[in-house]
Amino acid sequence: MNENIEKIYELLYSPIITPYNLLENAKLDNYEYVNYYKEEHGLVAEMKCIMDGTYNKKVFYYHFDSEDKLYQVYTKMNGKKVCIFDRKQEIENEKNKYLVSKENESSSVI
């Protein structure tokens, strides 16, 4: 099966990571905390961790839908929340990659 199709399938149907998976991070030495709270669309896991063995700390916000599927991840940069993962955008990216690869295949056949 085409690699892009597999990625699209995973993005459509896999949870990718669940709130339960993230709970294990609280036990790791480089994590200060893992907090959970509800929002309008589901659950948010907020985590603060030390990056790359330095003292650079980052806060991440993992947003899950009502089925516990990850749909967005944010981090704080310069005091602002910045989206670093968006499931819908990733699906669109993979669809576009697939379409481009199909176009390249058909043009190389001619």
Side-chain angles (χ1 to χ4, degrees):
M1 188 187 304
N2 183 295
E3 183 179 318
N4 299 107
I5 297 291
E6 289 178 23
K7 287 182 181 178
I8 292 167
Y9 183 86
E10 181 181 344
L11 287 165
L12 286 171
Y13 300 108
S14 168
I16 301 172
I17 193 166
T18 68
Y20 311 105
N21 300 130
L22 296 177
L23 185 58
E24 289 295 313
N25 289 353
K27 297 177 186 177
L28 300 174
D29 291 338
N30 62 322
Y31 280 78
E32 282 190 21
Y33 64 82
V34 177
N35 292 331
Y36 293 91
Y37 54 90
K38 290 188 229 178
E39 67 166 12
E40 183 179 339
H41 300 289
L43 198 62
V44 176
E46 178 183 332
M47 297 181 276
K48 187 173 192 177
C49 65
I50 300 170
M51 304 297 294
D52 301 325
T54 65
Y55 293 102
N56 181 21
K57 295 179 183 179
K58 280 215 174 239
V59 177
F60 294 94
Y61 304 88
Y62 287 71
H63 292 254
F64 297 91
D65 65 15
S66 60
E67 296 175 351
D68 288 342
K69 284 184 174 179
L70 179 67
Y71 70 90
Q72 289 178 323
V73 179
Y74 291 87
T75 189
K76 279 195 174 176
M77 290 185 179
N78 300 321
K80 296 179 183 176
K81 275 187 170 180
V82 177
C83 186
I84 58 174
F85 173 83
D86 184 299
R87 185 184 289 256
K88 287 181 183 178
Q89 186 61 52
E90 292 297 320
I91 291 168
E92 286 304 312
N93 292 346
E94 289 302 322
K95 284 180 182 178
N96 290 335
K97 287 179 191 176
Y98 174 76
L99 293 173
V100 167
S101 73
K102 285 299 174 192
E103 285 177 14
N104 290 340
E105 282 179 18
S106 64
S107 66
S108 67
V109 173
I110 299 175

